[in-house]
Amino acid sequence: MMTEQYNEKGSLMLTENEYIDAMLDRSALVFSKDELDKIGQTVFSISGLGGVGAITAELAARWGVKKFRLLDMDCYDHSNMNRQLFATSKTLGRPKVEVAAERIKEINPYAEIELIINERVNNNNVHAFLDGADILIQNADFPSHKLFNMAARYYKIPLIKGYCTPFGAHVVTYDYSLSDCEGVLDKFWTYSKFGRKMAYEKLDEQEIVEFDEKYVHGTAPSLNFTTNLVGCLKVNQAIKILTGKGKCIRYPKYLVFDTYNFKLKIRNTYSPLNPDNIKRVINLLKTRIK
């Protein structure tokens, strides 16, 4: 009985190994002890603890991950309540990173929160955030998220990212441990969007704020079943990378799904028949015509 695991004051009576083994009892029916130990020893950096980020932190904690680094500059407000797992009447106004850290410790008291960064990513904190990390789950939606790609490439660690539409999403894994994951087409889209080659690594903190304000998209509709699905898919990708089990979708391929029409597809960044590329070309032409 679970009541035997606590003393009269509710304190844990299990050792760390006993606690983790009990928590992973069902997972151990699928994954070996060595695989679960590897997941547990992985240092997870999670940027963005909102609709998608919260579920990634929740699930990673439930995999027995012992070391976390968290980055988010925002506090919870009422608009987060429809979808963000850690947004409650008790957490309104509080920094998302602090709430996420508390939630992780509630799930696994033995987990270590190595680093909490309650500010926008910049060229200083991104290195503290990723130096020594093993994997990055990137959920931030400001244009400055490009800094995460650059740093993950520098440290040669996998980066899993994606974005939501109301009923669907785009999920991609940049496995920088295998390649640079940046082709000519990617550079072209970046140049076309920003009008020049951005020297991201030279922007100071204020310039990054101005860059985000200039290029950030407007407020987008968000539905909780979509954001949580994206978070689940990101953790799914992370577990497959770490264990080598299952099919992992790596760049230049990426996953798209549409819950409204029940579609799930794998697309290739470089395919001329890729609908996303066709849309990009159309939008680029419209911009040039204006």
Side-chain angles (χ1 to χ4, degrees):
M1 297 290 293
M2 288 300 295
T3 53
E4 297 175 352
Q5 299 173 7
Y6 301 86
N7 62 22
E8 59 184 7
K9 294 183 179 180
S11 299
L12 286 169
M13 295 179 64
L14 295 179
T15 66
E16 179 178 354
N17 288 338
E18 290 172 337
Y19 186 91
I20 298 299
D21 287 346
M23 182 171 71
L24 298 178
D25 180 62
R26 299 296 181 90
S27 303
L29 298 177
V30 180
F31 293 87
S32 69
K33 186 178 188 308
D34 286 344
E35 290 168 338
L36 292 174
D37 286 345
K38 182 176 182 180
I39 295 168
Q41 295 300 326
T42 298
V43 179
F44 270 66
S45 286
I46 302 177
S47 66
L49 279 305
V52 177
I55 189 66
T56 63
E58 173 95 4
L59 295 182
R62 294 184 185 279
W63 274 97
V65 174
K66 296 179 181 180
K67 294 185 177 182
F68 290 84
R69 299 177 183 187
L70 309 174
L71 185 152
D72 195 304
M73 66 178 182
D74 291 330
C75 296
Y76 284 110
D77 62 41
H78 287 85
S79 69
N80 303 143
M81 298 286 283
N82 80 318
R83 68 197 182 282
Q84 299 192 14
L85 195 63
F86 304 153
T88 70
S89 59
K90 295 181 179 180
T91 63
L92 288 173
R94 295 190 58 201
K96 294 180 180 180
V97 284
E98 292 183 4
V99 175
E102 290 175 4
R103 178 61 177 171
I104 289 169
K105 297 287 284 186
E106 286 174 355
I107 295 168
N108 179 9
Y110 299 104
E112 177 185 353
I113 312 300
E114 287 191 339
L115 183 65
I116 290 179
I117 300 177
N118 185 201
E119 59 187 18
R120 189 188 306 267
V121 65
N122 59 54
N123 279 299
N124 294 320
N125 61 31
V126 72
H127 289 284
F129 189 55
L130 293 185
D131 186 8
D134 298 308
I135 198 164
L136 168 62
I137 300 183
Q138 202 288 97
N139 309 298
D141 55 4
F142 278 94
S144 55
H145 65 68
K146 183 71 174 178
L147 294 174
F148 291 116
N149 290 74
M150 295 174 63
R153 183 183 296 116
Y154 177 81
Y155 292 109
K156 298 185 183 303
I157 63 173
L159 180 158
I160 304 168
K161 66 185 295 184
Y163 62 82
C164 298
T165 62
F167 293 101
H170 168 143
V171 177
V172 60
T173 295
Y174 297 98
D175 197 341
Y176 293 118
S177 65
L178 300 177
S179 71
D180 285 344
C181 299
E182 186 177 38
V184 174
L185 194 57
D186 296 289
K187 295 177 181 178
F188 171 75
W189 291 129
T190 299
Y191 181 87
S192 299
K193 182 175 181 179
F194 301 122
R196 60 187 177 89
K197 183 178 180 181
M198 293 299 302
Y200 299 96
E201 71 280 2
K202 296 182 179 179
L203 298 179
D204 62 28
E205 293 182 32
Q206 183 55 40
E207 288 172 328
I208 288 174
V209 172
E210 294 170 356
F211 175 76
D212 278 347
E213 291 176 347
K214 180 177 180 180
Y215 291 108
V216 69
H217 58 71
T219 302
S222 299
L223 303 176
N224 55 20
F225 50 77
T226 304
T227 55
N228 281 276
L229 275 172
V230 176
C232 290
L233 285 169
K234 287 185 175 183
V235 175
N236 171 268
Q237 287 283 89
I239 298 304
K240 288 188 288 187
I241 288 174
L242 294 173
T243 63
K245 280 190 172 181
K247 182 178 181 181
C248 186
I249 303 167
R250 291 179 170 87
Y251 173 93
K253 294 182 179 180
Y254 60 93
L255 178 71
V256 292
F257 70 81
D258 178 353
T259 61
Y260 192 76
N261 295 300
F262 290 102
K263 293 181 179 180
L264 181 69
K265 295 182 178 181
I266 297 175
R267 293 177 178 170
N268 192 309
T269 299
Y270 297 125
S271 171
L273 302 179
N274 184 338
D276 293 330
N277 287 340
I278 294 173
K279 289 179 182 178
R280 280 175 161 180
V281 171
I282 293 173
N283 290 335
L284 178 59
L285 290 174
K286 287 180 178 178
T287 302
R288 293 294 172 86
I289 291 173
K290 291 180 180 179

